[in-house]
């Protein structure tokens, strides 16, 4: 199908996955209301499965979108968006699966949880596909508002409320910066359309009005906040730590991936002509994030908090791919986001599983001897941790190798060195958990008996673990798709600016 | 051929996996099958390429990323396959009797996976594939060292070994990627073909240094030599296999793989000769100092790895044969000695020389004493043992090698070899002939142990003797199949070198008699330790990390907000400074009615100050409303009455809502912030406000902006038939965005509802039952 966005119907088709998901979410809300007797009653398990079905339906619509081409609208219809959408839907599906037992244990199994989660995903998808700065902002807000609520969803836990408040207040700053940046960019160029922006700006950094540069800077600040790059990460550990763990997983994967997708689209495509200037900013962000986050992660005693810092550190690695800003970098970027989503969601899944009742056992000591009493669970966790560290036999290795190559192809040698040094630091804290699991005896023979890993959670963790391994042994399928999906994104850029594809 | 190679690499992994599910003792029997298969398949391979052929088997993995899984066998690779297989067979058999019930499925899995990974290293053609297996050996060895869980020492040693080899692994990865970037390929066979071009390019130095780092950390070369003795907490067969026969040789193997590419590089020979010889000397000294016999063996292993590294520097002189003789010699005698120390520990209850030497076990343990004696003599390099040939080759390489006239190298070699005599004698004579002190009378703790603990090392030592007695035939078979070994024979020249050799032996014996006195020499015992430096680095990093963590993460959102705002402002100000322009290049624009605007501006400013400083909620809310109403007045000045009306409406509704909420909330307490904090917050607020204000002001003076606005105004009537341009933009030009915003508002309302919804529901499931009871 060809879409030229001359009529509104084209927008309907272009937004089909988002529309399917929104309508489905409302359906879930209605079903929840009708199926339970009183307001205070917990929702039925079927609600979660219904939500999952909605994610699947959106994925089907996304598959259909592959057959569609579109140009000129506010919505991008390209491989990049489709690939990003799959990552986001995957993150959502994993989050729903790990939520199922969790919500019951924490006495917050209410249908709204899934509905809000689905709306957040709609926001993420719009964010990743917006071809216009205003629509991008709408997507961002839709995602953020839903996530603010979800972070504070556990009303019995004051930390959850505190996390939500902090995230909301600081997130408001970030939104303000982003909006201000959009306004300045519009003022300087007279357009908010990403493709037109690229044309208007052209290649002349020298001629670019200062106003435009300020706008670009403020946009960078807003995005850096959302992807949790240092020093805009300050909210992250508290918000990740306080939020219900499935939401932490979603924030670390989906929210970050969506913000990154938008960031790449805006900066590499629209502001490609200003490459020389913004690369400096992202260079520093990436370097600071990689070094700082890894150092601070070293000192964490809580595994959940360590994973929060780990997700910040990984934002730094992805930023390296952004700095590379060539086609290799963009493909590396997509591949890494996929691997990262799988391994991070899986790792948080284990954090959820290592719990008794509503008490999560997140300290390092709580993992002692897990390798012998819960071999499958510990093996899965070891796979995720090794993948996060970037070891062979896991997709994390291929992803990091890919980013490393992109950085070297773009002659970013110092950044590549920092990436490697940072990975080295990260070995220490990832491996520490593995050591504790396998080499420190459990306090008692039944310390880890009867952990509450629900069946859906097992499925999620299993899928993630198999995915992480598969991405090592057969990366070709996904890498081809990733390269194919960024090809279109960069053709114009390459013609315009002669950015290298790398070897 | 692909099948053969795939089976060689795959069978240990496969059997290792099976061992996880098959119960003891069957999994131990099964484990024997893995090295046996490797030998059976490796032997024809060795016969085929040992004389100098090459086999390349292409295998696709992901070509676009330069990832191929091509396999490659040449003489060096096939030699290592046989070495890994044969020593592996001995180790598996020994482990079955040594570990007994400790040989769990997990142990077999790790050991065999390690074996498979080593085979992968030596058969990989793609350097990236080699790296993958390289890291796998790091992980599996890490887990194998720490397998004795519960022991703090084992954990620490495992972690240290892991971190050091991990650093090296990362350096290696970057080196490989840079080399690939330089040459356009990761495949060894292709790299060999273009070695001339690579060495001619001055950029080859950095990747080479990084690859050196990888090899040196893996092979425990100075200054990374400390991790290997630290890893000795592992059981004897693990130490024998990983830390003498195979894994630590991976670094040496890598040098062998790099040799055809970089042999002409300027830094090749000096680096390897220097590092290798320093390691030989320093580790030899450490071995002399050791009282724990396993530590002694560990240090002596490091020393020999120094020899092997240095030999690659002098490679051109002695060729691959010289290197292979030395690798074979070391693998055979050192793994046997490790296994014999394991036997000794079981049989005599100790491996500490201070205890053992008082007992003079020679009368009791003739077989064990003979075997350890053969091993120790091989270590010294006595005639009629393979060790003699090996040491001879090394001396020849150093003395007659390409750096002729560099007597320092020869002096170091002689000195370090004398040290080797000392510690070899400690190992053998010290234990079995003992000191001159009378026996302690400590009873002989003869434990009932399997004869296999002696048979396996005996079988491994057999080639030492055969090779020593009939060297030409033997080396022709095992170093260069189908030929008679020409080799080198330093000993043929019976001149001054013979005198040196004899002097070394005498000095060594004297040194052995007085080793404690030598080791206690104050000057020598204070040699700088890189390990302490490394530990200092780690603890220093941790300390800095915690202070960084405290700095960033203590405090609530005011601090977080300050950080974010200040950095954002720094981006803006830095951007202006970077561009070398000022914000007001286009002059200052004061707006339409500057003469009236000062009044609402003043009101807004004063009200803003009060909003912050007042201590009660309701007046705060009112002052905030004043700010908003002041803004509305501004809109009127800018001729936007509908915007002003909207602003008034929003402000009114907000203030009413706030007042309603505040009635139900407790009054604010006193400001608990310190004066310093208040000042800091005030400064942050003023800086941010002024910067953003300046930005807004500057934005108004840019004429580019007019184009955008006029376009909308021009089109409003003809296209959308609306006179209110704002409305046209909202519902027509940007209708999609408005729809989206409505959607966002809806979600916000829904979210608020979800949060504020009255009662919480009762917990479900088993917990609910408990609550009811």
């Amino acid at each position: 199908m060809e879409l030229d966005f001359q009529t509104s119907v084209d927008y309907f088709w272009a937004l089909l996955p988002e529309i399917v998901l929104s309508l489905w979410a409302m359906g879930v809300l209605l079903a929840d209301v009708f199926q339970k007797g009183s307001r205070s009653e917990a929702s039925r398990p079927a609600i979660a499965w219904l939500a999952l079905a909605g994610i699947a339906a959106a994925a089907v619509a996304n598959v259909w979108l592959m057959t569609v081409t579109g140009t000129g609208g506010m919505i991008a219809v390209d491989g990049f968006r489709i690939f990003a959408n799959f990552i986001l839907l995957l993150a959502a599906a994993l989050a729903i699966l790990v939520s199922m037992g969790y919500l019951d244990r924490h006495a917050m199994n209410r249908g709204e949880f899934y509905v809000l989660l689905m709306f957040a995903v709609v926001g993420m998808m719009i964010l990743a596909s917006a071809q216009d700065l205003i629509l991008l902002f709408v997507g961002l807000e839709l995602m953020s508002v839903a996530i603010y609520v979800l972070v504070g969803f556990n009303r019995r836990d004051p930390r959850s409320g505190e996390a939500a408040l902090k995230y909301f207040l600081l997130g408001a700053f970030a939104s303000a910066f982003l909006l201000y940046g959009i306004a300045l960019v519009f003022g300087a160029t007279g357009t908010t359309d990403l493709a037109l922006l690229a044309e208007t700006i052209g290649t002349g950094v020298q001629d670019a009005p200062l106003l435009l540069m300020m706008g670009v800077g403020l946009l960078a600040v807003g995005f850096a906040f959302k992807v949790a790059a240092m020093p805009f990460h300050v909210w992250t550990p508290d918000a990740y730590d306080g939020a219900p763990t499935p939401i932490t997983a979603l924030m670390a994967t989906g929210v970050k991936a969506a913000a990154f997708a938008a960031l790449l689209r805006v900066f590499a495509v629209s502001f490609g002509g200003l490459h020389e200037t913004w690369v400096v900013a992202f260079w520093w962000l990436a370097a600071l994030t990689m070094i700082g986050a890894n150092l601070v992660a070293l000192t964490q005693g809580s595994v959940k908090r360590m994973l929060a810092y780990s997700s910040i550190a990984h934002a730094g690695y992805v930023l390296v791919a952004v700095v590379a800003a060539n086609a290799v970098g963009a493909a590396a970027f997509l591949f890494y986001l996929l691997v990262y989503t799988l391994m991070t969601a899986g790792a948080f899944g284990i954090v959820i599983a290592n719990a008794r009742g509503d008490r999560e056992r997140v300290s390092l000591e709580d993992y002692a001897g897990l390798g012998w009493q819960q071999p499958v669970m510990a093996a899965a966790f070891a796979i995720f941790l090794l993948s996060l560290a970037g070891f062979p036999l896991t997709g994390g290795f291929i992803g990091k190798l890919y980013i490393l190559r992109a950085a070297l192809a773009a002659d970013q040698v110092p950044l590549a060195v920092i990436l490697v040094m940072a990975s080295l630091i990260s070995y220490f804290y990832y491996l520490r958990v593995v050591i504790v699991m396998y080499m420190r005896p459990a306090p008692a023979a039944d310390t880890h008996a009867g952990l509450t890993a629900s069946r859906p959670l097992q499925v999620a963790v299993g899928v993630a673990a198999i995915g992480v391994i598969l991405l090592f042994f057969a990366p070709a399928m996904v890498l081809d798709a990733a390269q194919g999906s960024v090809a279109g994104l960069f053709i114009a850029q390459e013609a315009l600016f002669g950015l290298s594809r790398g070897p | 051929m692909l099948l053969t190679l795939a089976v060689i690499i795959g069978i240990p992994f496969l059997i290792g996996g099976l061992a996880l599910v098959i119960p003891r003792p069957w999994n131990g029997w099964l484990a024997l099958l893995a090295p046996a298969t490797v030998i059976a398949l490796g032997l024809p391979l060795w016969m085929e390429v040992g004389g100098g052929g090459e086999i390349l088997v292409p295998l696709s993995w992901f070509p676009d990323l330069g990832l191929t899984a091509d396999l490659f066998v040449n003489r060096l690779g096939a030699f290592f396959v046989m070495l890994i297989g044969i020593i592996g067979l001995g180790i598996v058999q020994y482990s079955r009797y040594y570990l007994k019930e400790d040989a769990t499925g997990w142990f077999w899995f790790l050991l065999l996976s390690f074996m498979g990974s080593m085979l992968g290293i030596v058969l990989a053609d793609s350097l990236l594939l080699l790296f993958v297996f390289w890291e796998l050996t790091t992980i599996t060895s890490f887990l194998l060292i720490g397998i004795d869980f519960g022991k703090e020492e084992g954990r620490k040693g495992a972690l240290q070994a892991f971190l050091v080899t991990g650093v090296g692994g990362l350096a290696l990865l970057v080196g490989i990627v840079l080399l690939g970037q330089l040459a356009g390929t990761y495949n060894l066979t292709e790299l060999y073909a273009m070695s001339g071009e690579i060495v001619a390019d001055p950029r080859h130095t950095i990747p080479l240094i990084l690859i050196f780092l990888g090899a040196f950390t893996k092979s425990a070369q100075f200054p990374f030599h400390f991790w290997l003795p630290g890893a000795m907490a592992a059981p004897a067969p693990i130490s024998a296999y990983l830390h003498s026969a195979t894994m630590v040789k991976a670094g040496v193997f890598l040098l062998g793989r790099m040799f055809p590419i970089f042999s002409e590089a300027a830094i090749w020979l000096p680096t390897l000769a220097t590092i290798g010889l320093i390691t030989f000397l320093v580790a030899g000294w450490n071995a002399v100092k050791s009282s724990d016999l396993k530590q002694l063996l560990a240090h002596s292993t490091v020393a020999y790895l120094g020899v092997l590294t240095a030999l690659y520097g002098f490679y051109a002189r002695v060729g691959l044969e010289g290197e292979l003789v030395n690798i074979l010699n070391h693998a055979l005698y050192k793994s046997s000695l490790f296994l014999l120390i394991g036997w000794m520990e079981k049989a005599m209850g100790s491996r500490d020389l201070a205890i053992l030497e008082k007992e003079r076990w020679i009368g009791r343990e003739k077989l064990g004493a003979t075997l350890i004696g053969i091993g120790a003599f091989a270590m010294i390099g006595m005639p009629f043992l393979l060790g003699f040939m090996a040491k001879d080759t090394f001396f020849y390489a150093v003395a007659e090698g390409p750096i002729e006239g560099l007597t320092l190298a020869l002096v170091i070699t002689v000195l370090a070899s004398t040290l080797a005599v000392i510690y070899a004698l400690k190992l053998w004579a010290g234990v079995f002939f003992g000191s001159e002190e009378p026996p302690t009378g400590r009873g002989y703790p003869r434990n009932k142990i399997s004869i296999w603990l002696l048979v396996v090392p005996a079988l491994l030592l057999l080639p030492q003797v055969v090779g020593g007695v009939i060297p030409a035939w033997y080396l022709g078979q095992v170093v260069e199949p189908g030929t008679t070994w020409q080799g080198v024979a330093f000993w043929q020249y019976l001149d001054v070198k013979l005198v040196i050799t004899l002097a070394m032996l005498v000095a060594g014996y004297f040194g052995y008699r007085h080793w404690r006195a030598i080791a206690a020499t104050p000057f020598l015992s204070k040699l700088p330790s890189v390990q302490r430096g490394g530990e200092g680095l780690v603890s220093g990093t941790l300390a800095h990390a915690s202070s960084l963590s405290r700095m960033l993460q203590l405090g609530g959102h005011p601090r977080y907000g300050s950080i974010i705002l200040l950095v954002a402002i720094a981006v803006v100000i830095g951007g202006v400074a970077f561009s070398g322009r000022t914000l007001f290049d286009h002059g200052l624009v004061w707006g339409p009615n500057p003469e009236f605007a000062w009044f609402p501006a003043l009101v807004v400013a004063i009200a803003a100050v009060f909003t912050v400083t007042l201590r009660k909620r309701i007046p705060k809310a009112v002052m905030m409303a004043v700010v908003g109403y002041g803004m509305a007045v501004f809109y009127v000045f800018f001729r936007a009455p509908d915007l002003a009306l909207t602003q008034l409406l929003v402000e009114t509704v907000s203030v009413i809502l706030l007042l309603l909420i505040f009635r139900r909330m407790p009054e604010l307490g006193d400001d608990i912030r310190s004066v310093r904090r208040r000042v800091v917050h005030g400064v942050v607020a003023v800086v941010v406000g002024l910067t953003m204000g300046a930005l807004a002001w500057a934005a108004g003076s840019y004429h580019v902006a007019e184009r955008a606005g006029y376009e909308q105004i021009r089109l409003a009537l003809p296209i959308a038939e609306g006179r209110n341009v704002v409305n046209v933009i909202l519902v027509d030009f940007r209708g999609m965005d408005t729809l989206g915003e409505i959607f966002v508002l809806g979600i916000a309302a829904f979210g608020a509802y979800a949060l504020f919804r009255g009662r919480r529901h009762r917990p479900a499931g088993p917990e609910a039952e408990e609550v009811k009871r």
Side-chain angles (χ1 to χ4, degrees), chain B residues 41-60:
Chain B
L41 292 173
L43 196 58
L45 212 58
W46 169 242
M47 300 313 284
E48 192 177 338
V49 299
E54 282 180 3
I55 303 168
L56 178 68
V57 183
L59 192 63
S60 173

Side-chain angles (χ1 to χ4, degrees), chain B residues 147-344:
Chain B
I147 203 160
D148 227 357
F149 72 87
K151 266 197 207 162
E152 182 61 39
E153 177 205 4
R155 212 154 50 217
K156 197 179 155 212
L159 187 62
Q160 199 174 54
F162 184 86
L163 285 177
V164 174
T165 47
V167 176
L170 283 173
L172 176 63
L173 176 62
V174 178
I176 288 172
V177 173
L178 281 174
L179 180 60
Q181 212 83 9
L182 183 69
T185 175
Y186 293 110
N187 285 12
L188 282 168
T189 36
E190 289 169 32
L191 287 166
Y192 289 170
M194 55 195 299
S195 77
E197 297 159 48
I198 294 172
V199 177
D201 191 328
R203 286 178 296 164
H204 76 268
T205 317
I206 304 283
L208 181 56
I209 289 173
L210 290 168
I211 291 171
F212 274 162
L213 270 178
F216 290 168
T217 48
K218 197 80 162 180
S219 284
Q221 296 296 291
F222 178 86
F224 310 106
H225 57 286
F226 56 88
W227 73 260
L228 186 62
M232 283 299 145
I238 306 281
S239 300
Y241 199 42
L242 271 63
H243 303 127
S244 76
T246 58
M247 187 185 82
V248 290
K249 296 236 168 63
V252 176
F253 173 82
L254 182 69
L255 294 177
R257 281 296 196 222
M258 289 299 132
F259 178 79
I261 308 174
F262 289 116
S263 58
E264 297 302 315
I267 60 166
W268 178 270
L269 189 147
T271 312
L272 293 185
T274 312
I275 296 291
L277 288 175
I278 291 178
T279 310
F280 188 22
L281 189 65
V282 171
W285 172 248
N286 284 331
V288 167
K289 283 197 300 184
S290 303
S291 177
D292 180 337
L293 294 177
K294 202 169 174 193
Q295 289 291 320
L296 184 152
L297 279 185
H299 289 300
S300 84
T301 303
V302 176
Y304 210 114
L305 289 168
V307 169
L308 295 175
T309 303
L311 257 180
Y312 264 115
F314 304 123
Y315 188 96
R317 190 69 181 157
V318 293
L320 184 58
E321 297 81 13
E323 182 76 29
L324 293 188
V325 170
N326 271 284
I327 291 173
L328 180 68
N329 167 51
H330 180 248
L332 289 173
Y333 88 72
K334 196 56 65 65
S335 58
S336 323
L337 282 179
F338 268 111
L339 296 181
L340 286 164
I341 295 290
W343 161 80
M344 191 190 285

Side-chain angles (χ1 to χ4, degrees), chain A residues 40 132 189 238 309 405, chain B residues 65 553 560 707 734 757 761:
Chain A
S40 60
D132 189 291
T189 61
D238 290 352
Y309 277 105
R405 284 213 30 202
Chain B
L65 194 52
Q553 235 40 76
Y560 299 166
R707 203 179 55 208
R734 312 293 306 191
R757 209 172 67 161
H761 75 79

Side-chain angles (χ1 to χ4, degrees), chain A residues 183 321 377 385 414 442 495:
Chain A
M377 191 169 130
L385 290 169

Side-chain angles (χ1 to χ4, degrees), chain B residues 503-733:
Chain B
M504 259 161 49
L505 285 175
V506 173
Y509 179 72
F510 179 79
Y512 154 67
R513 302 291 295 181
H514 302 282
W515 71 270
R516 285 205 169 80
I518 295 171
T521 316
F523 165 70
L524 289 175
S525 59
K526 277 187 187 150
L527 279 178
S529 157
V530 184
Q531 180 178 12
R532 243 174 280 141
E535 281 170 359
L537 187 70
V538 168
S539 60
T541 309
L542 279 175
H544 280 101
S546 10
S547 61
L548 180 69
S549 167
R550 270 196 304 280
M551 190 182 85
L552 283 175
Q553 235 40 76
L554 280 187
H557 62 269
R559 174 177 287 200
Y560 299 166
S562 306
I563 293 175
I564 289 179
L565 286 172
L566 284 179
V567 179
I569 293 310
V571 169
V572 171
I573 294 175
V576 174
F578 185 67
S579 73
R581 282 178 266 178
T582 65
L583 273 176
F584 296 99
D585 277 354
H586 300 268
L588 291 177
V589 175
W590 289 98
N593 293 308
E595 61 273 24
F596 299 118
W598 64 269
F599 178 68
L602 196 66
V603 172
V604 166
I606 291 172
V609 170
F610 274 120
T611 310
V612 177
T613 50
L614 286 175
R615 298 302 315 151
K616 291 204 187 297
R617 286 186 200 274
I618 290 176
K620 262 181 189 299
V622 171
M623 280 300 146
M624 218 160 79
V626 172
V627 173
Y629 290 132
M631 295 302 295
V633 176
F634 264 108
Y635 293 148
V636 173
F637 280 137
F638 278 88
R639 282 174 258 149
D642 50 349
L643 202 55
L645 281 175
T646 314
Q647 175 76 20
L648 286 175
L649 193 66
V650 168
E651 282 305 328
T652 310
V653 172
S654 306
V655 83
I656 291 171
L657 279 176
L658 280 177
L659 291 178
L660 282 175
I661 294 166
F662 284 165
R663 262 166 28 109
R664 303 186 54 153
M665 283 177 81
E667 200 42 67
L668 283 173
D670 289 332
D671 194 341
I672 52 165
R673 293 173 303 168
S674 66
V675 177
R676 201 178 121 246
R677 255 178 133 198
R678 270 190 259 182
V679 171
V680 169
H681 287 175
V683 169
V684 170
V686 168
V687 169
V688 172
L690 285 181
T691 313
M692 296 318 267
L695 208 51
W697 199 353
S701 57
Y702 271 76
H703 296 287
V704 253
E706 289 176 5
R707 203 179 55 208
Y710 286 133
E711 186 74 2
Q712 315 274 356
I713 294 168
R714 193 175 62 79
L715 293 176
L717 195 57
I719 289 188
E721 311 217 353
R723 291 183 186 280
N724 186 332
V725 183
V726 174
N727 281 358
V728 167
I729 292 174
L730 281 179
V731 300
D732 205 320
F733 291 161

